[in-house]
Every structure is written in structure tokens, then in C-alpha cells.
């Protein structure tokens, strides 16, 4: 979501009970790790369907916006946040889940009406549509249950809010949810909508998309606020490219690195060890950055192909509804998730500690591996060992030549960082360690430093 530069996100049907503090706290930590501040309205009863949330980008807040919690419905049917910004002023943002029961839904809208004004942004699953002819496609001939739609329409018109998606569709049909059963019956509706306020010198653009969420029986609505003043749009720079260690799981890329290492060892000759190590770091990092770009482009192409299939499936369901739509959509999302995992990097999260000794940026790593000894960097003395799992006594054979020291050092680090044999004891210890790391998280500053390039001063 951060990658799509989405500032405000509304969720419905979280189905989280207010007394389930463990799950509530887990959601807050997850939101923070993704770069968002969470405002949550949980359900009042364990078995109740509903619960709503609003996520506001921490970057947006850091840039000067103010997000203030205003109110939440006691049963979790909505949560309301006031968002203030120098560009668009003040907007009251709602995330709404209207009950499936018609009388409860109408009662909710009536109570909402007193708190909605022309500076309100309503986002939600309303479980009804404004125009049954335009916003539904059904196999049934019975009347569509649409109680409460009249109150919602009044709220929209009275406060001059806009259903931008309907303006863009004109008299055409699109849907945000499609249901079907084994008997061939189906129902496609546009029950999820955004009601948008008019903002001076800005225009709204909305779209229905399946590409912002991993998998759901609802499609998402994405609304973008753009400046109506020419030349005032924000121009974003190039994306930061960080080495993806998963590329070494591919045989082709792993072979390239092995070839590079062998060539470097064969060509260093009597080169000073400090210069040899600096040159090797530079070559490996440059090669892996190039391979990461290539790997990322390949994976993104695969994701784009899946996205095209998802869009095609949505359009096909829009014009020619099929009963297997949900199964085919789920299968495509599972394939997309497999590809997205390949692009995953360690995520930033809020740490309970100011400094975690186990976290290091690239500078500290290389300094630890090649410490300063007698005014020089690098290993200047090492035993010649054939098998590091069973090393001989110290001070037996000490290579003197730079190339020999480099080879022995390479053997030592290969042993030191090679995967160890896994036992039940180590497996249990690993799981405990991973659990602790997830609880601790990673400092924001550490996360940023870990992806920085190695400077010229470090390799000289």
C-alpha cells in the first residue's frame, strides 16, 4: 500500500471484538510496521459481523497533516477521524460498515445524518445501492432489498457529496461484489462506494480495482485527489533499489556471483589485502544491484500479467456473469501472492528499544568482519586450515602472501556463515529467536541505514 503512495485507507468487516486485546494490539503493530497510524472501531459482540478501521500514512503526518480520532460506533459500524492539511483544509473521514439487516441499516444512516457535513468523506460497505437499475445485475426476479438507500441519498445530496465513480461510469454498470451459488444464481452489486466532498482547486478521480488488496470478496474503491492548478502535482523521484537476497536462490544469479568471486581471487595477485577486499565489495554489490533490478523487472512483469488477468476476469464478470468467478479470482490472487513474496524485503517496524545490538548497517558489518588491527584494516594473519569443523592447534601454518591470506579468509568465512545442520533443538531455538525479533522490530533509522550504499571512503 505504501508503494502505491496511498495516504488514507478504510477497512470494513474486520470482525475484531473489543475485548480481544491481543488481536487489537497485533493490528496496531502491523499498521505501524507498514507505515500507518491505525484508528479502529471493534465489534461489541464476539460473533458479530462488522468492525471498521482507518489507516493514515505516517509519512503524511510527518509532512504536516494532523489526524485526530473523533468518534467510533459502539457496535463498530463506523469510525470517524478528522484530517487536517494545509493543502485541502479539514476533512472528516469515515469508514462505514452498514448492517445487512435493512431496519438496522436505515437506523444507522438516520443517526449518521446529524454528523455529516460538506467537509465529510464517506467510505464504506453500505449494503445497499442508490439506483437498483444501474448498480445491480441479478439472476433473481424478486425485488432487491434496498432499505436505507433513500436516507443515504439524502445525506449525499444535502451535503453536496459526490459519488465520483457513478459520474465516471455514466449509465454503464460495474460492481464491487459478486456472489453466486451452485444452482447458477448470481448477484453483482456496487455496494462499496466513496462519497467525496468538494475541495477548492482540487478534483477527484475514482476507480474500482482488485489490485490493492491481497484477496477479498469485495473490490476496492480508490479515489485520488489531484490539484486542479496546472504544474502543482508532486513529482516523485526514482524508487530506491536495495539488494534483494532472494536472487541467490536462483541458479543463474548464484552462478554469476560464484564466477565473479573466482575471477577476483585469480586476479588479485600481490594486491594489498585492504585494496583487494574493497574491490571485491564494490564488484559484488554492483553486480547484485544489477541482478536485483533484472530480477525485480522479471517478477513485476509476472505480477502485471496476473493483474491483467484479474482485470479481464472482472470485466468478463461485469458483462457476462459466471458462477465460478470467486474461485477463479482467488486462484489468481494466490499466484500473485507467490510473486509478491519474491519482492519482499525486511519490513520496518516499531522497536521497543532505541538500539538493538544485533542490528547493523553495512558500515558496521564490514568493520566488524575486517577489524582495524595495528593501524590496518583486514585479516593480516590466519592459520592454514583444511577443515574448519576440526581445526588444528593455533600457530601451526601461517600463510604470508596476500593471495594465500585471502584464500584462507574466504574458506573461514564460508565455514562461519554456511548453514549449520538443523536439529530439533536448533529448530526450536530458531523459532524462539524469530518470535522475539518480531516482537522487537527494527528501528526506523536502522532500517534506512541498512539499505544505504557503501561510500567511497569505505572501499578506499
Amino acid at each position: 500500500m505504501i508503494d502505491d503512495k496511498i495516504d488514507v485507507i478504510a477497512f470494513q468487516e474486520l470482525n475484531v471484538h473489543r475485548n480481544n486485546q491481543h488481536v487489537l494490539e497485533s493490528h496496531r503493530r502491523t499498521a505501524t510496521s507498514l507505515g500507518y497510524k491505525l484508528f479502529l472501531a471493534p465489534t461489541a459482540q464476539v460473533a458479530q459481523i462488522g468492525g471498521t478501521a482507518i489507516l493514515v500514512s505516517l509519512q503524511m503526518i510527518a509532512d504536516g497533516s494532523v489526524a485526530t480520532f473523533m468518534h467510533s460506533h459502539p457496535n463498530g459500524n463506523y469510525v470517524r477521524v478528522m484530517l487536517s492539511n494545509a493543502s485541502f483544509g479539514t476533512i472528516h473521514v469515515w469508514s462505514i460498515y452498514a448492517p445487512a439487516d435493512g431496519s438496522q441499516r436505515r437506523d444507522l444512516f438516520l443517526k449518521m445524518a446529524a454528523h455529516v457535513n460538506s467537509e465529510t468523506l464517506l467510505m464504506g460497505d453500505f449494503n445497499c445501492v442508490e439506483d437498483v437499475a444501474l448498480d445491480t445485475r441479478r439472476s433473481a426476479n424478486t425485488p432487491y432489498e434496498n432499505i436505507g438507500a433513500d436516507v443515504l441519498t439524502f445525506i449525499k445530496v444535502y451535503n453536496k457529496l459526490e459519488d465520483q465513480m457513478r459520474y465516471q461510469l455514466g449509465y454503464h454498470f460495474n460492481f464491487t461484489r459478486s456472489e453466486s451459488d451452485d444452482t447458477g444464481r448470481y448477484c453483482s452489486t456496487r455496494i462499496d462506494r466513496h462519497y467525496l466532498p468538494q475541495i477548492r482547486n482540487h478534483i477527484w478521480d475514482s476507480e474500482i480495482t482488485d489490485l490493492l488488496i491481497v484477496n477479498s470478496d469485495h473490490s476496492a474503491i480508490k479515489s485520488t485527489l489531484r490539484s486542479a492548478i496546472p504544474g502543482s502535482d508532486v513529482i516523485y523521484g526514482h524508487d530506491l533499489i536495495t539488494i534483494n537476497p532472494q536472487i541467490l536462490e536462483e541458479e543463474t544469479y548464484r552462478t554469476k556471483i560464484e564466477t565473479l568471486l573466482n575471477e577476483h581471487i585469480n586476479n588479485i595477485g600481490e594486491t594489498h589485502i585492504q585494496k583487494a577486499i574493497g574491490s571485491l565489495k564494490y564488484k559484488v554489490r554492483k553486480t547484485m544491484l544489477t541482478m536485483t533490478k533484472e530480477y525485480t523487472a522479471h517478477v513485476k512483469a509476472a505480477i502485471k500479467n496476473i493483474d491483467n488477468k484479474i482485470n479481464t476476469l472482472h470485466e468478463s464478470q461485469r458483462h457476462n456473469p459466471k458462477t465460478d468467478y470467486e474461485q477463479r479470482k482467488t486462484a489468481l490472487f494466490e499466484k500473485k501472492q507467490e510473486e509478491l513474496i519474491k519482492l519482499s524485503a525486511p519490513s520496518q517496524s516499531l522497536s521497543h528499544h532505541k538500539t538493538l545490538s544485533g542490528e547493523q548497517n553495512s558500515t558496521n558489518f564490514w568493520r566488524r568482519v575486517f577489524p582495524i588491527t595495528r593501524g590496518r584494516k583486514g585479516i593480516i594473519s590466519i592459520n592454514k586450515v583444511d577443515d574448519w569443523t576440526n581445526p588444528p592447534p593455533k600457530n601451526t601454518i601461517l600463510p604470508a602472501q596476500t593471495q594465500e591470506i585471502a584464500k584462507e579468509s574466504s574458506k573461514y568465512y564460508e565455514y562461519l556463515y554456511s548453514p549449520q545442520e538443523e536439529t530439533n533443538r536448533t529448530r526450536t531455538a530458531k523459532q524462539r529467536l524469530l518470535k522475539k525479533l518480531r516482537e522487537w522490530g527494527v528501528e526506523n533509522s536502522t532500517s534506512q541505514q541498512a539499505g544505504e550504499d557503501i561510500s567511497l571512503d569505505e572501499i578506499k
Side-chain angles (χ1 to χ4, degrees), residues 243 256-268 271-289 291 365-366 369-370 379 402-403 405-411 413-414 454-455 458-460:
I243 289 175
K256 288 182 179 180
I257 293 296
E258 291 173 354
T259 301
L260 176 64
L261 293 174
N262 291 331
E263 290 177 352
H264 185 79
I265 291 174
N266 294 331
N267 294 332
I268 59 176
T271 305
H272 190 282
I273 188 169
Q274 181 181 343
K275 186 175 181 180
I277 292 171
S279 175
L280 176 61
K281 290 195 294 183
Y282 174 77
K283 289 180 181 178
V284 170
R285 186 173 183 83
K286 182 178 180 180
T287 302
M288 292 189 71
L289 277 172
M291 292 192 301
F365 172 78
W366 290 110
V369 173
F370 302 106
I379 296 177
T402 300
Q403 187 171 2
I405 294 175
K407 287 183 178 179
E408 290 302 321
S409 299
S410 176
K411 286 166 56 179
Y413 288 121
E414 182 179 2
I454 297 175
S455 66
E458 295 178 64
I459 63 175
K460 286 182 180 178

Short mmCIF file of all heavy atoms in Angstrom, two decimals, residues 243 256-268 271-289 291 365-366 369-370 379 402-403 405-411 413-414 454-455 458-460:
data_model
loop_
_atom_site.label_atom_id
_atom_site.label_comp_id
_atom_site.label_asym_id
_atom_site.label_seq_id
_atom_site.Cartn_x
_atom_site.Cartn_y
_atom_site.Cartn_z
N ILE A 243 19.40 -4.25 -2.52
CA ILE A 243 19.72 -5.62 -2.93
C ILE A 243 18.72 -6.60 -2.33
O ILE A 243 18.43 -6.57 -1.13
CB ILE A 243 21.15 -6.00 -2.50
CG1 ILE A 243 22.17 -5.23 -3.35
CG2 ILE A 243 21.38 -7.49 -2.63
CD1 ILE A 243 23.61 -5.44 -2.92
N LYS A 256 26.56 -16.53 -11.34
CA LYS A 256 27.26 -15.30 -11.70
C LYS A 256 28.12 -14.79 -10.55
O LYS A 256 29.26 -14.36 -10.76
CB LYS A 256 26.24 -14.22 -12.11
CG LYS A 256 25.57 -14.46 -13.45
CD LYS A 256 24.61 -13.31 -13.78
CE LYS A 256 23.94 -13.54 -15.13
NZ LYS A 256 23.01 -12.43 -15.47
N ILE A 257 27.59 -14.87 -9.32
CA ILE A 257 28.36 -14.42 -8.17
C ILE A 257 29.56 -15.34 -7.93
O ILE A 257 30.67 -14.87 -7.64
CB ILE A 257 27.48 -14.36 -6.91
CG1 ILE A 257 26.42 -13.26 -7.07
CG2 ILE A 257 28.31 -14.11 -5.66
CD1 ILE A 257 27.00 -11.87 -7.16
N GLU A 258 29.36 -16.64 -8.06
CA GLU A 258 30.47 -17.58 -7.88
C GLU A 258 31.56 -17.33 -8.91
O GLU A 258 32.76 -17.36 -8.58
CB GLU A 258 29.95 -19.01 -8.00
CG GLU A 258 29.05 -19.43 -6.84
CD GLU A 258 28.41 -20.79 -7.06
OE1 GLU A 258 28.58 -21.35 -8.17
OE2 GLU A 258 27.74 -21.29 -6.13
N THR A 259 31.16 -17.06 -10.14
CA THR A 259 32.15 -16.76 -11.20
C THR A 259 32.91 -15.50 -10.87
O THR A 259 34.13 -15.41 -11.04
CB THR A 259 31.43 -16.61 -12.55
OG1 THR A 259 30.72 -17.83 -12.85
CG2 THR A 259 32.43 -16.32 -13.66
N LEU A 260 32.19 -14.46 -10.38
CA LEU A 260 32.83 -13.21 -10.02
C LEU A 260 33.86 -13.42 -8.90
O LEU A 260 34.98 -12.88 -8.97
CB LEU A 260 31.76 -12.21 -9.58
CG LEU A 260 32.27 -10.85 -9.06
CD1 LEU A 260 32.99 -10.09 -10.17
CD2 LEU A 260 31.11 -10.02 -8.50
N LEU A 261 33.50 -14.20 -7.89
CA LEU A 261 34.41 -14.45 -6.78
C LEU A 261 35.67 -15.19 -7.26
O LEU A 261 36.79 -14.86 -6.86
CB LEU A 261 33.70 -15.27 -5.70
CG LEU A 261 32.56 -14.55 -4.95
CD1 LEU A 261 31.86 -15.52 -4.01
CD2 LEU A 261 33.07 -13.35 -4.19
N ASN A 262 35.47 -16.19 -8.10
CA ASN A 262 36.63 -16.96 -8.60
C ASN A 262 37.55 -16.08 -9.44
O ASN A 262 38.78 -16.16 -9.32
CB ASN A 262 36.14 -18.15 -9.42
CG ASN A 262 35.46 -19.20 -8.56
OD1 ASN A 262 35.79 -19.35 -7.38
ND2 ASN A 262 34.52 -19.94 -9.13
N GLU A 263 36.97 -15.26 -10.30
CA GLU A 263 37.78 -14.36 -11.13
C GLU A 263 38.56 -13.38 -10.27
O GLU A 263 39.73 -13.08 -10.54
CB GLU A 263 36.88 -13.61 -12.11
CG GLU A 263 36.30 -14.49 -13.20
CD GLU A 263 35.37 -13.70 -14.12
OE1 GLU A 263 35.07 -12.52 -13.79
OE2 GLU A 263 34.95 -14.25 -15.16
N HIS A 264 37.92 -12.89 -9.21
CA HIS A 264 38.59 -11.93 -8.34
C HIS A 264 39.77 -12.58 -7.62
O HIS A 264 40.86 -12.00 -7.54
CB HIS A 264 37.60 -11.38 -7.32
CG HIS A 264 38.16 -10.28 -6.46
ND1 HIS A 264 38.29 -8.98 -6.90
CD2 HIS A 264 38.67 -10.30 -5.20
CE1 HIS A 264 38.83 -8.24 -5.94
NE2 HIS A 264 39.07 -9.04 -4.90
N ILE A 265 39.58 -13.79 -7.12
CA ILE A 265 40.66 -14.49 -6.42
C ILE A 265 41.84 -14.76 -7.34
O ILE A 265 43.01 -14.62 -6.96
CB ILE A 265 40.12 -15.82 -5.82
CG1 ILE A 265 39.14 -15.52 -4.69
CG2 ILE A 265 41.26 -16.69 -5.32
CD1 ILE A 265 38.44 -16.75 -4.15
N ASN A 266 41.53 -15.10 -8.59
CA ASN A 266 42.59 -15.43 -9.54
C ASN A 266 43.35 -14.20 -10.04
O ASN A 266 44.46 -14.33 -10.56
CB ASN A 266 42.00 -16.18 -10.74
CG ASN A 266 41.45 -17.54 -10.35
OD1 ASN A 266 41.94 -18.16 -9.39
ND2 ASN A 266 40.44 -18.01 -11.07
N ASN A 267 42.75 -13.02 -9.88
CA ASN A 267 43.36 -11.82 -10.47
C ASN A 267 43.99 -10.87 -9.47
O ASN A 267 44.63 -9.89 -9.87
CB ASN A 267 42.30 -11.05 -11.28
CG ASN A 267 41.82 -11.82 -12.50
OD1 ASN A 267 42.56 -12.64 -13.05
ND2 ASN A 267 40.59 -11.59 -12.91
N ILE A 268 43.83 -11.13 -8.16
CA ILE A 268 44.34 -10.15 -7.21
C ILE A 268 45.86 -10.20 -7.08
O ILE A 268 46.49 -9.19 -6.74
CB ILE A 268 43.70 -10.33 -5.82
CG1 ILE A 268 43.98 -11.74 -5.26
CG2 ILE A 268 42.23 -10.05 -5.86
CD1 ILE A 268 43.45 -11.92 -3.84
N THR A 271 48.17 -7.97 -4.78
CA THR A 271 47.46 -6.76 -4.39
C THR A 271 47.33 -6.67 -2.87
O THR A 271 47.10 -7.69 -2.20
CB THR A 271 46.04 -6.73 -5.02
OG1 THR A 271 46.16 -6.89 -6.42
CG2 THR A 271 45.33 -5.41 -4.71
N HIS A 272 47.49 -5.47 -2.34
CA HIS A 272 47.34 -5.26 -0.90
C HIS A 272 45.96 -5.76 -0.46
O HIS A 272 44.96 -5.51 -1.12
CB HIS A 272 47.49 -3.76 -0.59
CG HIS A 272 47.60 -3.48 0.88
ND1 HIS A 272 46.52 -3.47 1.70
CD2 HIS A 272 48.69 -3.20 1.66
CE1 HIS A 272 46.89 -3.20 2.94
NE2 HIS A 272 48.22 -3.02 2.93
N ILE A 273 45.89 -6.47 0.65
CA ILE A 273 44.65 -7.12 1.06
C ILE A 273 43.51 -6.13 1.27
O ILE A 273 42.36 -6.40 0.95
CB ILE A 273 44.88 -7.97 2.33
CG1 ILE A 273 43.62 -8.81 2.63
CG2 ILE A 273 45.25 -7.09 3.52
CD1 ILE A 273 43.83 -9.84 3.69
N GLN A 274 43.83 -4.93 1.81
CA GLN A 274 42.79 -3.93 2.01
C GLN A 274 42.16 -3.50 0.70
O GLN A 274 40.94 -3.39 0.57
CB GLN A 274 43.37 -2.73 2.74
CG GLN A 274 42.33 -1.64 3.03
CD GLN A 274 42.94 -0.45 3.75
OE1 GLN A 274 44.02 -0.54 4.29
NE2 GLN A 274 42.23 0.66 3.72
N LYS A 275 43.00 -3.28 -0.29
CA LYS A 275 42.50 -2.88 -1.62
C LYS A 275 41.74 -4.02 -2.27
O LYS A 275 40.73 -3.81 -2.95
CB LYS A 275 43.68 -2.45 -2.49
CG LYS A 275 43.25 -1.88 -3.83
CD LYS A 275 44.45 -1.34 -4.61
CE LYS A 275 44.01 -0.75 -5.95
NZ LYS A 275 45.18 -0.24 -6.71
N ALA A 276 42.24 -5.26 -2.06
CA ALA A 276 41.57 -6.43 -2.65
C ALA A 276 40.17 -6.59 -2.08
O ALA A 276 39.21 -6.87 -2.81
CB ALA A 276 42.40 -7.69 -2.40
N ILE A 277 40.03 -6.42 -0.77
CA ILE A 277 38.72 -6.56 -0.13
C ILE A 277 37.78 -5.44 -0.58
O ILE A 277 36.60 -5.67 -0.89
CB ILE A 277 38.88 -6.55 1.40
CG1 ILE A 277 39.61 -7.82 1.85
CG2 ILE A 277 37.51 -6.46 2.09
CD1 ILE A 277 40.00 -7.79 3.30
N GLY A 278 38.27 -4.20 -0.63
CA GLY A 278 37.45 -3.09 -1.08
C GLY A 278 36.97 -3.29 -2.50
O GLY A 278 35.80 -3.03 -2.82
N SER A 279 37.86 -3.76 -3.36
CA SER A 279 37.49 -4.01 -4.76
C SER A 279 36.43 -5.11 -4.85
O SER A 279 35.49 -5.01 -5.64
CB SER A 279 38.75 -4.40 -5.54
OG SER A 279 38.41 -4.76 -6.86
N LEU A 280 36.59 -6.16 -4.03
CA LEU A 280 35.62 -7.27 -4.06
C LEU A 280 34.25 -6.78 -3.60
O LEU A 280 33.23 -7.10 -4.22
CB LEU A 280 36.11 -8.40 -3.16
CG LEU A 280 35.15 -9.59 -3.01
CD1 LEU A 280 34.89 -10.24 -4.37
CD2 LEU A 280 35.69 -10.60 -2.02
N LYS A 281 34.19 -6.01 -2.52
CA LYS A 281 32.91 -5.50 -2.03
C LYS A 281 32.21 -4.67 -3.10
O LYS A 281 31.00 -4.79 -3.32
CB LYS A 281 33.13 -4.65 -0.77
CG LYS A 281 33.53 -5.42 0.46
CD LYS A 281 33.36 -4.58 1.72
CE LYS A 281 34.31 -3.41 1.74
NZ LYS A 281 34.21 -2.63 3.00
N TYR A 282 32.97 -3.82 -3.75
CA TYR A 282 32.41 -2.95 -4.78
C TYR A 282 31.83 -3.78 -5.93
O TYR A 282 30.71 -3.54 -6.40
CB TYR A 282 33.48 -2.00 -5.30
CG TYR A 282 33.02 -1.14 -6.46
CD1 TYR A 282 32.20 -0.05 -6.26
CD2 TYR A 282 33.39 -1.46 -7.76
CE1 TYR A 282 31.76 0.73 -7.31
CE2 TYR A 282 32.96 -0.70 -8.83
CZ TYR A 282 32.15 0.40 -8.60
OH TYR A 282 31.71 1.15 -9.65
N LYS A 283 32.61 -4.79 -6.41
CA LYS A 283 32.16 -5.61 -7.54
C LYS A 283 30.92 -6.42 -7.20
O LYS A 283 29.97 -6.50 -7.99
CB LYS A 283 33.30 -6.54 -7.98
CG LYS A 283 34.47 -5.85 -8.65
CD LYS A 283 35.54 -6.86 -9.03
CE LYS A 283 36.74 -6.18 -9.70
NZ LYS A 283 37.81 -7.17 -10.03
N VAL A 284 30.93 -7.04 -6.00
CA VAL A 284 29.79 -7.88 -5.60
C VAL A 284 28.53 -7.03 -5.46
O VAL A 284 27.46 -7.40 -5.95
CB VAL A 284 30.10 -8.62 -4.29
CG1 VAL A 284 28.84 -9.29 -3.75
CG2 VAL A 284 31.19 -9.67 -4.52
N ARG A 285 28.66 -5.87 -4.79
CA ARG A 285 27.49 -5.02 -4.59
C ARG A 285 26.94 -4.50 -5.93
O ARG A 285 25.73 -4.51 -6.15
CB ARG A 285 27.84 -3.85 -3.67
CG ARG A 285 26.61 -3.01 -3.30
CD ARG A 285 26.95 -1.96 -2.27
NE ARG A 285 25.76 -1.23 -1.89
CZ ARG A 285 24.88 -1.61 -0.99
NH1 ARG A 285 25.06 -2.75 -0.37
NH2 ARG A 285 23.83 -0.88 -0.71
N LYS A 286 27.82 -4.07 -6.80
CA LYS A 286 27.38 -3.55 -8.09
C LYS A 286 26.69 -4.64 -8.91
O LYS A 286 25.63 -4.40 -9.52
CB LYS A 286 28.58 -3.00 -8.87
CG LYS A 286 28.22 -2.39 -10.21
CD LYS A 286 29.45 -1.82 -10.90
CE LYS A 286 29.07 -1.20 -12.26
NZ LYS A 286 30.26 -0.65 -12.94
N THR A 287 27.28 -5.85 -8.89
CA THR A 287 26.69 -6.96 -9.64
C THR A 287 25.33 -7.35 -9.08
O THR A 287 24.36 -7.58 -9.83
CB THR A 287 27.62 -8.18 -9.62
OG1 THR A 287 28.88 -7.81 -10.17
CG2 THR A 287 27.04 -9.34 -10.40
N MET A 288 25.22 -7.41 -7.74
CA MET A 288 23.96 -7.81 -7.13
C MET A 288 22.88 -6.75 -7.30
O MET A 288 21.69 -7.07 -7.40
CB MET A 288 24.17 -8.13 -5.65
CG MET A 288 25.00 -9.38 -5.42
SD MET A 288 25.04 -9.92 -3.69
CE MET A 288 23.37 -10.53 -3.47
N LEU A 289 23.26 -5.47 -7.35
CA LEU A 289 22.28 -4.43 -7.64
C LEU A 289 21.73 -4.58 -9.05
O LEU A 289 20.53 -4.46 -9.28
CB LEU A 289 22.91 -3.04 -7.47
CG LEU A 289 22.96 -2.47 -6.05
CD1 LEU A 289 23.79 -1.19 -6.01
CD2 LEU A 289 21.56 -2.19 -5.53
N MET A 291 21.65 -7.35 -10.80
CA MET A 291 20.83 -8.56 -10.85
C MET A 291 19.48 -8.34 -10.16
O MET A 291 18.46 -8.88 -10.59
CB MET A 291 21.58 -9.72 -10.20
CG MET A 291 22.81 -10.18 -10.98
SD MET A 291 23.51 -11.75 -10.41
CE MET A 291 23.89 -11.36 -8.71
N PHE A 365 28.93 -3.64 9.73
CA PHE A 365 29.17 -5.05 9.40
C PHE A 365 30.59 -5.27 8.88
O PHE A 365 31.32 -6.13 9.37
CB PHE A 365 28.15 -5.52 8.36
CG PHE A 365 28.44 -6.90 7.82
CD1 PHE A 365 28.13 -8.03 8.56
CD2 PHE A 365 29.04 -7.06 6.58
CE1 PHE A 365 28.41 -9.29 8.08
CE2 PHE A 365 29.32 -8.31 6.09
CZ PHE A 365 29.00 -9.43 6.84
N TRP A 366 30.99 -4.46 7.90
CA TRP A 366 32.32 -4.66 7.33
C TRP A 366 33.41 -4.32 8.34
O TRP A 366 34.48 -4.95 8.36
CB TRP A 366 32.47 -3.81 6.06
CG TRP A 366 31.63 -4.31 4.92
CD1 TRP A 366 30.54 -3.72 4.37
CD2 TRP A 366 31.82 -5.53 4.21
NE1 TRP A 366 30.02 -4.48 3.37
CE2 TRP A 366 30.78 -5.62 3.23
CE3 TRP A 366 32.73 -6.58 4.27
CZ2 TRP A 366 30.65 -6.67 2.36
CZ3 TRP A 366 32.60 -7.65 3.39
CH2 TRP A 366 31.58 -7.68 2.46
N VAL A 369 33.67 -7.43 10.52
CA VAL A 369 34.27 -8.57 9.83
C VAL A 369 35.76 -8.35 9.60
O VAL A 369 36.58 -9.27 9.75
CB VAL A 369 33.55 -8.81 8.48
CG1 VAL A 369 34.27 -9.88 7.68
CG2 VAL A 369 32.11 -9.23 8.75
N PHE A 370 36.13 -7.12 9.22
CA PHE A 370 37.54 -6.80 8.97
C PHE A 370 37.97 -5.70 9.94
O PHE A 370 38.04 -4.53 9.58
CB PHE A 370 37.74 -6.34 7.52
CG PHE A 370 37.28 -7.37 6.52
CD1 PHE A 370 36.10 -7.18 5.82
CD2 PHE A 370 38.01 -8.52 6.30
CE1 PHE A 370 35.67 -8.13 4.91
CE2 PHE A 370 37.58 -9.46 5.38
CZ PHE A 370 36.41 -9.28 4.68
N ILE A 379 42.11 -8.94 7.74
CA ILE A 379 42.81 -10.03 8.41
C ILE A 379 44.24 -10.05 7.93
O ILE A 379 44.51 -10.22 6.73
CB ILE A 379 42.12 -11.38 8.10
CG1 ILE A 379 40.70 -11.38 8.68
CG2 ILE A 379 42.92 -12.54 8.66
CD1 ILE A 379 39.92 -12.63 8.38
N THR A 402 49.67 -12.28 0.37
CA THR A 402 48.34 -11.67 0.38
C THR A 402 47.29 -12.59 -0.23
O THR A 402 46.19 -12.75 0.31
CB THR A 402 48.37 -10.34 -0.40
OG1 THR A 402 49.29 -9.47 0.21
CG2 THR A 402 46.99 -9.70 -0.42
N GLN A 403 47.63 -13.22 -1.37
CA GLN A 403 46.67 -14.08 -2.05
C GLN A 403 46.33 -15.29 -1.19
O GLN A 403 45.18 -15.72 -1.12
CB GLN A 403 47.23 -14.53 -3.40
CG GLN A 403 46.21 -15.30 -4.23
CD GLN A 403 46.72 -15.55 -5.65
OE1 GLN A 403 47.83 -15.17 -5.97
NE2 GLN A 403 45.89 -16.17 -6.46
N ILE A 405 46.46 -15.46 2.13
CA ILE A 405 45.65 -14.99 3.26
C ILE A 405 44.20 -14.80 2.82
O ILE A 405 43.26 -15.17 3.54
CB ILE A 405 46.22 -13.68 3.83
CG1 ILE A 405 47.60 -13.93 4.45
CG2 ILE A 405 45.27 -13.08 4.86
CD1 ILE A 405 48.29 -12.67 4.94
N ALA A 406 44.02 -14.23 1.64
CA ALA A 406 42.67 -14.00 1.13
C ALA A 406 41.93 -15.32 0.91
O ALA A 406 40.74 -15.45 1.23
CB ALA A 406 42.74 -13.22 -0.18
N LYS A 407 42.64 -16.34 0.39
CA LYS A 407 42.01 -17.65 0.17
C LYS A 407 41.62 -18.29 1.49
O LYS A 407 40.52 -18.84 1.63
CB LYS A 407 42.97 -18.56 -0.61
CG LYS A 407 43.13 -18.19 -2.07
CD LYS A 407 44.04 -19.19 -2.77
CE LYS A 407 44.17 -18.85 -4.25
NZ LYS A 407 45.06 -19.79 -4.96
N GLU A 408 42.52 -18.24 2.49
CA GLU A 408 42.22 -18.83 3.78
C GLU A 408 41.07 -18.08 4.47
O GLU A 408 40.22 -18.69 5.11
CB GLU A 408 43.48 -18.82 4.67
CG GLU A 408 44.56 -19.78 4.20
CD GLU A 408 44.08 -21.22 4.12
OE1 GLU A 408 43.30 -21.64 5.02
OE2 GLU A 408 44.44 -21.91 3.16
N SER A 409 41.07 -16.76 4.34
CA SER A 409 39.99 -15.97 4.92
C SER A 409 38.66 -16.33 4.28
O SER A 409 37.63 -16.44 4.95
CB SER A 409 40.26 -14.47 4.73
OG SER A 409 41.46 -14.09 5.37
N SER A 410 38.68 -16.51 2.96
CA SER A 410 37.47 -16.88 2.24
C SER A 410 36.94 -18.22 2.74
O SER A 410 35.73 -18.40 2.95
CB SER A 410 37.75 -16.94 0.74
OG SER A 410 36.61 -17.38 0.04
N LYS A 411 37.85 -19.21 2.95
CA LYS A 411 37.45 -20.52 3.47
C LYS A 411 36.85 -20.40 4.87
O LYS A 411 35.86 -21.06 5.20
CB LYS A 411 38.66 -21.46 3.49
CG LYS A 411 39.09 -21.95 2.11
CD LYS A 411 40.47 -22.58 2.14
CE LYS A 411 40.55 -23.71 3.15
NZ LYS A 411 41.88 -24.34 3.16
N TYR A 413 35.35 -17.73 6.29
CA TYR A 413 34.03 -17.09 6.30
C TYR A 413 32.98 -17.97 5.64
O TYR A 413 31.80 -17.92 6.00
CB TYR A 413 34.10 -15.72 5.62
CG TYR A 413 34.83 -14.70 6.47
CD1 TYR A 413 35.97 -14.06 6.01
CD2 TYR A 413 34.38 -14.41 7.75
CE1 TYR A 413 36.64 -13.14 6.79
CE2 TYR A 413 35.05 -13.51 8.55
CZ TYR A 413 36.18 -12.87 8.07
OH TYR A 413 36.85 -11.97 8.87
N GLU A 414 33.40 -18.78 4.68
CA GLU A 414 32.46 -19.72 4.07
C GLU A 414 31.98 -20.72 5.12
O GLU A 414 30.79 -21.06 5.17
CB GLU A 414 33.14 -20.47 2.92
CG GLU A 414 32.21 -21.44 2.20
CD GLU A 414 32.89 -22.16 1.06
OE1 GLU A 414 34.11 -21.93 0.85
OE2 GLU A 414 32.22 -22.95 0.37
N ILE A 454 27.38 1.63 0.06
CA ILE A 454 28.69 1.75 0.68
C ILE A 454 29.39 2.95 0.04
O ILE A 454 29.44 3.09 -1.17
CB ILE A 454 29.51 0.47 0.44
CG1 ILE A 454 28.81 -0.72 1.11
CG2 ILE A 454 30.93 0.62 0.97
CD1 ILE A 454 29.48 -2.04 0.85
N SER A 455 29.92 3.85 0.87
CA SER A 455 30.54 5.06 0.37
C SER A 455 31.94 4.77 -0.17
O SER A 455 32.54 3.75 0.13
CB SER A 455 30.60 6.11 1.48
OG SER A 455 31.46 5.67 2.50
N GLU A 458 34.67 4.05 2.35
CA GLU A 458 34.71 2.72 2.95
C GLU A 458 35.52 1.73 2.13
O GLU A 458 35.98 0.73 2.65
CB GLU A 458 33.29 2.18 3.14
CG GLU A 458 32.47 2.98 4.11
CD GLU A 458 31.06 2.41 4.21
OE1 GLU A 458 30.91 1.28 4.66
OE2 GLU A 458 30.12 3.11 3.79
N ILE A 459 35.65 1.98 0.82
CA ILE A 459 36.32 0.99 -0.03
C ILE A 459 37.70 1.45 -0.46
O ILE A 459 38.38 0.75 -1.20
CB ILE A 459 35.46 0.69 -1.27
CG1 ILE A 459 35.28 1.94 -2.14
CG2 ILE A 459 34.13 0.10 -0.88
CD1 ILE A 459 34.55 1.67 -3.43
N LYS A 460 38.12 2.62 -0.03
CA LYS A 460 39.46 3.09 -0.38
C LYS A 460 40.50 2.40 0.47
O LYS A 460 40.28 2.10 1.62
CB LYS A 460 39.53 4.62 -0.20
CG LYS A 460 38.78 5.37 -1.30
CD LYS A 460 38.93 6.87 -1.11
CE LYS A 460 38.19 7.64 -2.20
NZ LYS A 460 38.28 9.10 -2.01
#
